[in-house]
């Protein structure tokens, strides 16, 4: 038997009122408030002293084919250069 997918569907739920639907939806305002919103995972370092920890970071100098956009301050490849202003280069994303 062929099925007409364009025909309107009739369910038993169509007869349900809006009030009935509102009762089935949980109230979002009754949720539990997380007091520790800054630390969602409750991650603690257990009192460890990290003041003597050294982090090694390698900073590369600007490359020949790179520029820093004066709007977003991101380092971009020269292929993303839109135009230059008197303040400096502007990337395509900021120019759009």
């Amino acid at each position: 038997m062929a099925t007409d997918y364009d025909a309107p569907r009739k369910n038993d739920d169509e007869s349900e009122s809006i009030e009935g639907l509102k009762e089935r939806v949980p109230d979002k305002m009754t949720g539990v408030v997380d007091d520790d919103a800054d630390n969602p995972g409750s991650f603690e370092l257990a009192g460890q002293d990290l003041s003597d920890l050294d982090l090694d970071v390698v900073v590369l100098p600007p490359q020949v084919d790179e520029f820093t956009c004066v709007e977003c301050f991101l380092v971009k490849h020269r292929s993303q250069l839109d135009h230059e202003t008197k303040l400096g280069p502007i990337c395509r994303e900021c120019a759009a």
Side-chain angles (χ1 to χ4, degrees), residues 31-88:
V32 177
V33 177
D34 184 17
D35 292 335
D36 197 11
D38 291 337
N39 193 2
S42 297
F43 181 74
E44 295 182 13
L45 295 175
Q48 293 182 5
D49 183 22
L50 302 177
S51 61
D52 61 344
L53 183 67
D54 290 332
L55 298 177
D56 294 328
V57 177
V58 178
V59 178
L60 297 176
Q63 303 296 309
V64 177
D65 59 345
E66 294 177 340
F67 71 97
T68 302
C69 177
V70 296
E71 292 285 325
C72 63
F73 303 107
L74 294 176
V75 177
K76 305 268 186 156
H77 189 266
R78 281 279 172 201
S79 64
Q80 297 177 345
L81 177 66
D82 186 70
H83 66 279
E84 296 242 3
T85 64
K86 61 182 177 181
L87 298 175

